Amino acid sequence: MGSSGSQEGAAACQPALKRLLIDYDSTLNPGQGNLPLTSERAKLLEAYLTKWQKLGLEIFVLTSSNPEKKEKALEAAGIRGLFTDVLSSTMPRRFPTKGDFIAKRIREDGWIPSEQLLADDSIEAVQSIFQDADAAPRAAGPLAHTWRLPQHSSTGLLEEDLRLLDAKVAGSPGSGDGGATTHCYSFQHDGQQVDASDSAEKCMLDSLPLDTRIQVLKANSPERRQEWIASRPDFAALCAAAGPEVEAPAAPAKQAAPPPSRCNPASGVAGGIVAKRSALPAKGAGKGAGKSGFFPPSRAAATTGAASSTSRAEIDLHRLEALTKRLEAAAAAAVLVPPTSTANGDCPRPSTAAPRPPDVAIDLSVLDAVVGRVERAASLL
């Protein structure tokens, strides 16, 4: 009996989580820019970190910047010894997102999603737990539990956040959740609020400009809108303030298709990316297309008239985000060539004097045109 009782007591002391990954700027420490931890902040954190360390929890700082600077800040505050390690998703190896960094540890080190939690203020970082770089859902589901704060939070984790995280850490291991992960968003709206059903879609909504966010909320079905606002009083307040309807933008005038580009007739992107392989491969159907359920106001208007949807702009926000990321990746990988003009001045071309690698060379004027198209598309949301 004594042995059985001691085993039950030991099991009760086991944390529900095995691993906690905490962003530094705006999460562990308020504000941006490697600010030092105040003595009051260090004292608050120390109380919880010490308790979690005694439970056997692995506690990491996971930053997307220089880990040495975070190490020095923790050492100066006297709490470095409470962390297992300071990790970076960009140094020494640069991963596209924190999610990709965690996915590698899952594959190679046996990390289990339901045994770890990421606390972060970055919308992109939390989205990457749900989705890959193409905005498609992670094949095996979310990579971790998440605790999201408002982007660039000026407060970081509040004591109430730490108390709620402590409850998650101390919860019953394997308590019948079937390995499911939980996702929370802690924010201020008439006091502190916690949305316990955070999602990739809500991350996307929070990333939109206010006017666009209102339009997207109102343009979707009542069922989907209710799903979003049920635990988000800030979303509900936006919808209430906007009134029952949001006027959809008028359909753009139909224009004739432009003639083939004289710069590069074979190119499928504004006639202009010169490459041995496509720097911007076409985003085909399937992987991330149309899965989000997001539709801008123009979609709502288009579906009200018979056969009118083809004359109106319909943009899947996830695909727009993925295209933007592809443009950024192409720009980062390419050797950018200053544009010059042909003799008749009607078509910019890369300078023949500039070296062109066999891989990718992008005419800046063409890249600017493509970015312009994305921006114009975004303005229709």
Side-chain angles (χ1 to χ4, degrees):
M1 290 293 291
S3 174
S4 175
S6 63
Q7 289 177 357
E8 290 177 1
C13 292
Q14 290 295 316
L17 298 175
K18 290 186 177 180
R19 193 171 300 106
L20 188 58
L21 304 120
I22 311 176
D23 178 51
Y24 185 86
D25 291 321
S26 299
T27 306
L28 191 70
N29 195 32
Q32 296 280 305
N34 299 307
L35 295 174
L37 287 153
T38 65
S39 58
E40 293 82 3
R41 182 70 176 173
K43 184 177 180 181
L44 171 64
L45 293 171
E46 184 178 16
Y48 287 93
L49 294 172
T50 300
K51 179 180 179 181
W52 297 338
Q53 187 185 60
K54 287 180 178 179
L55 288 173
L57 190 70
E58 297 176 355
I59 310 170
F60 298 92
V61 166
L62 177 56
T63 180
S64 58
S65 60
N66 189 335
E68 292 184 2
K69 293 184 178 180
K70 313 308 182 190
E71 290 245 23
K72 291 178 180 177
L74 295 174
E75 288 170 357
I79 59 173
R80 171 61 183 89
L82 297 174
F83 290 89
T84 307
D85 202 355
V86 177
L87 307 174
S88 174
S89 61
T90 61
M91 297 177 67
R93 174 180 170 184
R94 177 176 291 276
F95 289 83
T97 64
K98 287 185 178 179
D100 292 302
F101 173 87
I102 293 172
K104 181 177 183 293
R105 301 300 292 262
I106 290 173
R107 291 192 305 271
E108 297 184 1
D109 299 332
W111 285 11
I112 297 174
S114 62
E115 294 179 351
Q116 57 205 19
L117 181 146
L118 173 69
D120 209 308
D121 72 293
S122 166
I123 291 175
E124 180 188 27
V126 173
Q127 268 187 301
S128 72
I129 298 299
F130 296 101
Q131 300 173 329
D132 63 21
D134 288 326
R138 296 280 180 183
L143 304 173
H145 301 275
T146 56
W147 191 274
R148 180 165 67 98
L149 300 182
Q151 183 101 344
H152 304 315
S153 170
S154 60
T155 63
L157 290 166
L158 298 170
E159 184 166 9
E160 178 66 9
D161 293 311
L162 293 168
R163 187 184 66 79
L164 293 171
L165 285 174
D166 183 59
K168 283 186 171 292
V169 168
S172 301
S175 54
D177 61 5
T181 54
T182 59
H183 307 281
C184 298
Y185 175 50
S186 176
F187 62 104
Q188 295 291 322
H189 183 84
D190 295 332
Q192 186 172 14
Q193 306 281 343
V194 176
D195 174 8
S197 57
D198 198 26
S199 65
E201 291 182 349
K202 290 179 181 178
C203 287
M204 174 63 75
L205 284 166
D206 283 324
S207 73
L208 296 173
L210 182 60
D211 289 348
T212 305
R213 190 183 313 156
I214 294 171
Q215 292 184 30
V216 172
L217 283 168
K218 300 293 286 186
N220 278 269
S221 68
E223 295 78 15
R224 176 56 60 86
R225 185 163 58 248
Q226 183 58 38
E227 175 187 332
W228 290 335
I229 69 175
S231 50
R232 289 291 299 268
D234 54 333
F235 285 173
L238 288 177
C239 290
E245 298 293 339
V246 173
E247 183 178 354
K254 190 172 182 180
Q255 298 179 352
S261 169
R262 295 173 59 187
C263 286
N264 186 358
S267 171
V269 184
I273 293 183
V274 183
K276 289 183 66 177
R277 66 174 185 271
S278 173
L280 292 176
K283 180 131 176 82
K287 216 172 179 187
K291 293 187 179 182
S292 69
F294 276 107
F295 295 108
S298 54
R299 176 64 175 262
T303 55
T304 59
S308 63
S309 63
T310 56
S311 67
R312 296 179 184 265
E314 298 183 9
I315 302 171
D316 182 328
L317 296 181
H318 286 183
R319 295 186 69 187
L320 178 60
E321 179 190 33
L323 174 58
T324 302
K325 287 182 178 179
R326 286 170 183 260
L327 284 170
E328 292 171 347
V335 173
L336 300 180
V337 181
T340 57
S341 298
T342 55
N344 60 13
D346 65 350
C347 187
R349 293 182 183 274
S351 169
T352 56
R356 175 170 300 173
D359 216 12
V360 175
I362 297 179
D363 184 337
L364 283 175
S365 62
V366 173
L367 181 60
D368 182 67
V370 176
V371 171
R373 290 179 181 217
V374 173
E375 291 174 342
R376 287 194 295 276
S379 71
L380 296 174
L381 293 178

